[in-house]
Amino acid sequence: MPATKNAFERHKVLDRCFRDRSKRYFMDDLIDIVNKDTYYYYGTEVSDRTIRKDISYMMDSEGYSAPIKKGMVGHKAYYYYSDPDFSIMNMPLTQEDMGRLEEMIRMLGRLKGLPNYLWIEETLTRLEDTFHLGERPYGIVAFDHNPYLRGMKHFEPLMDAIMNQKVLYVYYYKYRKTTKKREIHPYQLRQFNNRWFLIGMEPDMADKLPLVNLPLDRIDKFEKAKDVVYQTYQGMNFDEYFGQVVGVSVNIKAKKEKVVLKVGYPDAEYMISKPMHSSQKIIEQNENYVLIEMSLILNYEFETALLGFMNNCQIVEPKSLRNKIRNRAEEIVKNCK
């Protein structure tokens, strides 16, 4: 079984100790050194038992087949490599490692086509050539990606503006409306439903909306605003902020509402396996239906997602959501006549 990242970090520290011929490393020494090296990153300390398991793993053929020997000083044992030139860092990749590396390369390949990721394409090419990868014409893992999405040309310069904290004048247009110049203090590029959004603060809207979202496909162009001081974000953690909704549209004046859905099979199984929101929970389940409850701020994205289940779903509460879905369904019926 492959070592976890935490375990591998410990193995590297132990490897360094076992190669060192200037000192004898007893168990207490190894525990102390490993804790000093890894506590900063992982916030946990290791025990005598953990180090002994690490040593056994390193010696095992499924680990590194490390030539670890045990010397004695009285009743105390110290550990070292019988071959001082051995190091786990010089171990060749196994066939299993090669398979994982190949799939990771293919997963990174998902980023091909995104601006500013040409270095990934170059790195992938070098790795494929070096390790003779890429013979398989398909990947084990595939991601949904739309290479024709409008506005992706803005991705790289927007990312640079965020990293360098530059205020932007964004020329943004709505469908059937003229382009509007907007001052934006950019904070994040966020993806939802295979669409990218620029998240930022707009001074003219800050009193009503702390964060605005601009779809990249609606951005005509933008330029850096000179002599405008960048305002850093001081609000709620982004994941918590957007975790209140489905999608990226947050009405800060609205409060979370309890939503109860009565979902029949097989849609219930799908909704259980792929929750619509992080707050989703089952409050009743039988052979005919499932009652699902969630707490969130209602928005258009949630309504749209919910419409996909409405042929086999009843909105128990709230009534306001039921009315909105009914109105949208009536419009659908009109358009289908």
Side-chain angles (χ1 to χ4, degrees), residues 14 17-18 25-34 51 79:
L14 293 173
C17 294
F18 297 151
Y25 290 90
F26 297 90
M27 182 57 64
D28 289 343
D29 298 321
L30 296 174
I31 294 172
D32 184 56
I33 293 171
V34 169
I51 297 299
Y79 300 83

Side-chain angles (χ1 to χ4, degrees), residues 34-303:
V34 169
N35 279 331
K36 286 180 179 178
D37 277 56
T38 62
Y39 183 82
Y40 176 80
Y41 297 100
Y42 303 109
T44 56
E45 294 186 345
V46 299
S47 63
D48 177 289
R49 182 182 179 186
T50 299
I51 297 299
R52 293 187 186 279
K53 283 187 175 181
D54 286 340
I55 292 174
S56 296
Y57 175 83
M58 293 175 71
M59 295 176 66
D60 194 89
S61 59
E62 293 187 3
Y64 311 104
S65 298
I68 301 173
K69 298 297 181 181
K70 181 167 65 174
M72 301 296 296
V73 176
H75 296 290
K76 295 184 66 177
Y78 62 92
Y79 300 83
Y80 64 97
Y81 284 150
S82 59
D83 178 2
D85 295 325
F86 178 87
S87 173
I88 64 172
M89 305 307 293
N90 297 330
M91 295 289 291
L93 291 175
T94 65
Q95 199 65 34
E96 186 178 11
D97 293 332
M98 293 282 282
R100 285 197 178 89
L101 177 60
E102 179 178 6
E103 196 51 39
M104 286 303 298
I105 288 174
R106 291 186 179 277
M107 290 176 71
L108 280 173
R110 178 200 179 201
L111 299 178
K112 286 182 177 180
L114 281 183
N116 208 34
Y117 283 91
L118 292 177
W119 64 271
I120 286 185
E121 297 194 34
E122 295 171 358
T123 303
L124 295 184
T125 301
R126 287 199 298 269
L127 286 171
E128 288 172 351
D129 290 342
T130 301
F131 296 106
H132 306 291
L133 302 175
E135 286 82 3
R136 189 187 294 119
Y138 54 88
I140 297 173
V141 179
F143 293 92
D144 187 18
H145 173 58
N146 183 0
Y148 309 106
L149 188 63
R150 184 175 178 177
M152 290 308 295
K153 64 181 180 180
H154 301 313
F155 194 95
E156 177 184 355
L158 286 175
M159 188 169 66
D160 288 340
I162 294 170
M163 294 177 65
N164 295 305
Q165 298 188 336
K166 299 296 183 181
V167 182
L168 302 175
Y169 288 134
V170 176
Y171 294 84
Y172 178 84
Y173 65 91
K174 291 187 176 181
Y175 298 132
R176 298 184 180 180
K177 293 186 178 181
T178 57
T179 300
K180 179 182 179 182
K181 181 180 178 181
R182 302 170 64 175
E183 179 185 323
I184 302 295
H185 297 243
Y187 300 138
Q188 187 183 66
L189 287 166
R190 194 175 192 90
Q191 188 183 41
F192 171 70
N193 199 23
N194 209 18
R195 192 184 190 194
W196 285 97
F197 298 82
L198 173 64
I199 307 299
M201 186 275 292
E202 185 173 9
D204 292 342
M205 296 283 291
D207 292 340
K208 300 178 181 178
L209 197 61
L211 291 173
V212 295
N213 68 79
L214 283 67
L216 265 60
D217 52 277
R218 301 275 192 88
I219 295 176
D220 184 28
K221 61 180 180 178
F222 62 89
E223 59 193 27
K224 293 179 182 178
K226 298 179 180 179
D227 302 323
V228 180
V229 179
Y230 182 88
Q231 298 183 40
T232 57
Y233 180 64
Q234 303 293 332
M236 185 187 299
N237 174 278
F238 279 177
D239 289 336
E240 293 180 12
Y241 182 83
F242 291 107
Q244 302 175 101
V245 298
V246 170
V248 295
S249 301
V250 183
N251 181 358
I252 61 170
K253 293 183 179 180
K255 295 182 179 180
K256 289 184 179 181
E257 297 187 54
K258 182 174 75 171
V259 175
V260 179
L261 306 174
K262 183 178 180 181
V263 190
Y265 296 98
D267 296 81
E269 294 175 338
Y270 182 84
M271 194 176 289
I272 291 172
S273 63
K274 188 177 183 293
M276 296 184 69
H277 188 257
S278 59
S279 65
Q280 179 175 309
K281 61 182 179 181
I282 298 172
I283 56 176
E284 183 182 335
Q285 184 172 9
N286 57 46
E287 60 182 12
N288 297 316
Y289 63 85
V290 175
L291 276 182
I292 290 176
E293 179 183 310
M294 58 190 85
S295 176
L296 71 164
I297 296 175
L298 304 182
N299 62 8
Y300 189 81
E301 291 101 316
F302 177 64
E303 293 176 20

